[in-house]
Amino acid sequence: MLGAGTMGSGIAHVFAQYGWVTTLSDVSQPALDRALESVRRNLERQVKKGALTPEQRDATLERIHTAALPDAAADADLVVEAATEDRLTKFKIFQELDQAAPPGAILASNTSSISITAIAGQTRRAAQVIGMHFMNPVPVMQLVEVVRGLETSDQTTQRVLDIATALGKTPVAVRDAPGFVSNRVLLPMINEAIFCVMEGVASPEAVDTVMKLGMNHPLGPLALADLIGLDVCLAILQVLHRDLGDDKYRPAPLLAQMVAAGRLGRKSGRGFHVYRD
Ligand SMILES: NC(=O)c1ccc[n+]([C@@H]2O[C@H](COP(=O)([O-])OP(=O)(O)OC[C@H]3O[C@@H](n4cnc5c(N)ncnc54)[C@H](O)[C@@H]3O)[C@@H](O)[C@H]2O)c1
C-alpha cells in the first residue's frame, strides 16, 4: 500500500481485515503514524459495534507492517497506490514500482481522475496496471470502480474484480476515461449546485434540502462537496474540462474563488457550510 493518507489507511485496513499481509509505505513518517492510529481507532469502533471480535482486531493490526520502497514492494502480489493526486508524482512512483515489485505483481492506482493508460505507460507491464478506485471512507463504502486502461489485460481485470469481491466490496468495471464514471457523473451535479448558489437561485441549505428530500440523496451535493474537499472538486472538474474539451464541465467561478480563499470544506472548517469540530 503506497501512500498512507486518508485513502491509503482505509485501504490497508480493509485488506488486512480480510487476511492480506499488508505493507504500508509513505514518504512521510507522521503520515504513517497517523495512518496506524486511524486504523486502530476504526477497528476499535467496529469492535464496539459488534462487527469485529477483539481477536479479529488484533489479528488485523498484526498483518499491517510499514516499510519504505523498494523493500515495501519486494514480495508484493498486488500494490495499491494512493499517493497525492498529482500526475508527475504518480508517474515517478509507477516507474519505481515497476523496478521494485516482482514481475508478476499487479500495480493498481486509486487515482480519482488521472489516466490509468498514461500511468501504465510509465511501466513495462502495462497489461498488469489497473485502476482500483475505492470510495471514502473505505471500510464503509461498498463500491470499487475497477478502471481498465487501454492495455490492461482481461486476466488482470478479472483478478482485481475477484480481489475486490473477496474484500466484501462490489466492484464495477469501467473503461479509462476522464473522471471514470463516478466523478464524471457526480462532479457536474455538484458544479451545477454551485452555479445555483452563485446565480442566487437558492442558498446552499436550500439546494441541499431539495436534493435530499426531493431526490432521496443521503447528503446534499454541497455538503458532499465539503466532505470531498472543494480543492479536490475543482481539480477533478479541471481534468474533465480539459480532457473532454467540453465547456459543460467548466468549473463554477464561485468554486475557484472559494478554493483561492482557503474555504476548502470540512478540512478547513468552512466550505458551503460551517463545521465547528
Ligand atoms: N479523499 C478521497 O475522498 C478520495 C476518494 C477516492 C480516491 N482518492 C484518491 O486517492 C489518492 C490519495 O488521496 P488521499 O485523500 O488519501 O490523499 P492524502 O493527501 O490524505 O494522502 C496522500 C499521501 O500520499 C503520500 N505521498 C506523497 N507522495 C508520495 C510518494 N512519492 N510515495 C509515497 N507516498 C507519497 C503523502 O505523504 C500522503 O500521506 C489520490 O489519488 C486521490 O485522488 C481520494
Side-chain angles (χ1 to χ4, degrees), residues 200-221:
V201 179
S203 68
E205 290 72 23
V207 170
D208 278 352
T209 302
V210 166
M211 297 305 285
K212 277 196 298 187
L213 303 187
M215 316 300 157
N216 232 1
H217 289 193
L219 213 60

Side-chain angles (χ1 to χ4, degrees), residues 7-8 22 28 43 54 78 85 155-156 158 163 173 228 256:
M7 296 303 288
T22 305
S28 147
L43 284 169
L78 167 69
E85 184 77 347
Q155 198 188 354
T156 300
Q158 193 54 53
I163 291 171
I228 295 170

Side-chain angles (χ1 to χ4, degrees), residues 36-50:
L36 291 174
E37 190 42 49
S38 142
V39 173
R40 234 174 253 127
R41 220 179 23 248
N42 290 330
L43 284 169
E44 206 49 60
R45 199 170 297 155
Q46 287 174 296
V47 171
K48 281 208 180 97
K49 277 202 278 178

Side-chain angles (χ1 to χ4, degrees), residues 87-108:
R87 226 175 134 79
L88 296 181
T89 303
K90 297 212 192 272
F91 284 0
K92 187 158 175 290
I93 288 175
F94 274 75
Q95 289 162 8
E96 284 174 28
L97 284 176
D98 195 27
Q99 301 288 332
I106 292 176
L107 308 181

Side-chain angles (χ1 to χ4, degrees), residues 1-9 11 25-32 34 69 81-86 89-90 92-93 96 109-114 132-138 183 227-229 232 236 267:
M1 182 68 242
L2 208 78
T6 311
M7 296 303 288
S9 62
I11 296 168
S25 189
D26 200 290
V27 284
S28 147
Q29 185 59 43
L32 276 176
R34 276 196 305 274
L69 275 182
E81 170 276 325
T84 313
E85 184 77 347
D86 171 70
T89 303
K90 297 212 192 272
K92 187 158 175 290
I93 288 175
E96 284 174 28
S109 175
N110 185 52
T111 179
S112 310
S113 61
I114 297 168
M132 207 173 178
H133 186 204
F134 289 86
M135 306 292 129
N136 185 18
V138 183
N183 286 324
L227 181 69
I228 295 170
V232 177
I236 298 172
K267 60 185 160 191

Side-chain angles (χ1 to χ4, degrees), residues 4-274:
T6 311
M7 296 303 288
S9 62
I11 296 168
H13 173 152
V14 170
F15 271 95
Q17 185 184 331
Y18 282 84
W20 288 64
V21 175
T22 305
T23 305
L24 251 180
S25 189
D26 200 290
V27 284
S28 147
Q29 185 59 43
L32 276 176
D33 296 341
R34 276 196 305 274
L36 291 174
E37 190 42 49
S38 142
V39 173
R40 234 174 253 127
R41 220 179 23 248
N42 290 330
L43 284 169
E44 206 49 60
R45 199 170 297 155
Q46 287 174 296
V47 171
K48 281 208 180 97
K49 277 202 278 178
L52 224 55
T53 64
E55 293 73 28
Q56 287 170 320
R57 171 198 62 202
D58 296 344
T60 300
L61 281 171
E62 273 169 27
R63 282 192 281 267
I64 303 182
H65 308 275
T66 60
L69 275 182
D71 292 352
D75 298 321
D77 297 315
L78 167 69
V79 180
V80 182
E81 170 276 325
T84 313
E85 184 77 347
D86 171 70
R87 226 175 134 79
L88 296 181
T89 303
K90 297 212 192 272
F91 284 0
K92 187 158 175 290
I93 288 175
F94 274 75
Q95 289 162 8
E96 284 174 28
L97 284 176
D98 195 27
Q99 301 288 332
I106 292 176
L107 308 181
S109 175
N110 185 52
T111 179
S112 310
S113 61
I114 297 168
S115 161
I116 296 300
T117 307
I119 291 175
Q122 303 299 313
T123 73
R124 288 160 306 155
R125 57 173 98 189
Q128 290 156 245
V129 176
I130 194 162
M132 207 173 178
H133 186 204
F134 289 86
M135 306 292 129
N136 185 18
V138 183
V140 176
M141 297 293 282
Q142 192 63 36
L143 178 70
V144 179
E145 198 176 28
V146 173
V147 185
R148 290 191 69 148
L150 198 61
E151 306 290 351
T152 310
S153 70
D154 291 344
Q155 198 188 354
T156 300
T157 307
Q158 193 54 53
R159 175 86 180 112
V160 168
L161 290 170
D162 291 345
I163 291 171
T165 305
L167 294 174
K169 304 293 186 197
T170 302
V172 176
V174 305
R175 296 221 167 252
D176 186 25
F180 317 132
V181 170
S182 50
N183 286 324
R184 173 128 168 218
V185 175
L186 176 65
L187 266 296
M189 182 189 69
I190 288 176
N191 201 34
E192 211 52 46
I194 300 172
F195 271 112
C196 283
V197 174
M198 192 182 94
E199 292 169 8
V201 179
S203 68
E205 290 72 23
V207 170
D208 278 352
T209 302
V210 166
M211 297 305 285
K212 277 196 298 187
L213 303 187
M215 316 300 157
N216 232 1
H217 289 193
L219 213 60
L222 299 170
L224 181 56
D226 282 351
L227 181 69
I228 295 170
L230 298 189
D231 50 341
V232 177
C233 291
L234 179 61
I236 298 172
L237 277 164
Q238 284 166 337
V239 168
L240 291 174
H241 190 206
R242 189 190 62 219
D243 294 354
L244 292 166
D246 191 327
D247 275 346
K248 74 179 177 184
Y249 300 108
R250 177 177 72 103
L254 175 61
L255 174 62
Q257 260 184 338
M258 289 180 68
V259 172
R263 286 196 208 171
L264 305 182
R266 274 180 193 265
K267 60 185 160 191
S268 71
R270 191 173 178 204
F272 287 97
H273 303 281
V274 177

